[in-house]
Amino acid sequence: MRARMARIGLVLVVATFASATGRAQKAATLTALDYEEIRNLYGRYTHAFDAGDGQAVANVYTPDGAFVTGGRATEGREKLAAMPRAPMPGRPSIRHLPANIVIDPAPGGAKGMAYVMVLTVEAGKPPVFAMGGLYEDVIVKTSEGWRFKRRTFTPWNAPPAASAPAPAPR
């Protein structure tokens, strides 16, 4: 009888632990305000980068944050601040356009993903598609607010093919 009671007790302990663990894993949620603040983070990054404001770029990352592309990582705010180049008179500037942003809750924060298109902009000329790619982000909430912990950029290899003219209506 004692052995049976011990087994029942063990089963209850395991079941309680499994149930608590399951609840803890499901607890990764984001509020409506979290989603809006994270979308704002995407916007702050693009405006800062396009303006050549390295300090503002660095500030959207955690102190140990990293930008990764092509197998190379730029880590830490000091190095991240050196990434953007300030616009120069007489030279085209760039505009990052993130689109189709997806944000999902994740343990410790959120995961984000967005397409990004980069345009070159020159006075008196229409914007030109320069390149595009995919951002995959690890985002955490800090005492400073939501920040990128790791941002991975995978470029598209080539600009999209020119679309064929629409067929004539029949």
Side-chain angles (χ1 to χ4, degrees), residues 42-163:
Y42 277 81
R44 283 185 289 142
Y45 174 86
T46 60
H47 284 273
F49 199 98
D50 295 348
D53 186 344
Q55 194 57 52
V57 168
N59 287 338
V60 300
Y61 284 89
T62 60
D64 62 344
F67 177 81
V68 180
T69 188
R72 293 180 319 273
T74 303
E75 298 180 63
R77 284 185 171 166
E78 186 176 322
K79 290 181 182 174
L80 291 164
M83 284 191 341
R85 293 190 318 193
M88 296 178 64
R91 193 165 106 195
S93 57
I94 60 171
R95 296 292 182 268
H96 288 74
L97 303 174
N100 300 341
I101 298 170
V102 175
I103 303 163
D104 290 311
K111 289 193 175 195
M113 181 172 40
Y115 293 135
V116 62
M117 290 156 278
V118 180
L119 304 177
T120 56
V121 180
E122 193 170 357
K125 296 182 180 180
V128 175
F129 178 82
M131 67 178 296
L134 175 70
Y135 286 133
E136 294 175 279
D137 303 309
V138 175
I139 307 162
V140 296
K141 191 164 192 175
T142 71
S143 61
E144 299 172 298
W146 287 98
R147 298 292 185 262
F148 294 113
K149 173 80 173 165
R150 183 173 188 87
R151 173 160 255 213
T152 302
F153 173 69
T154 304
W156 296 325
N157 289 333
S163 52

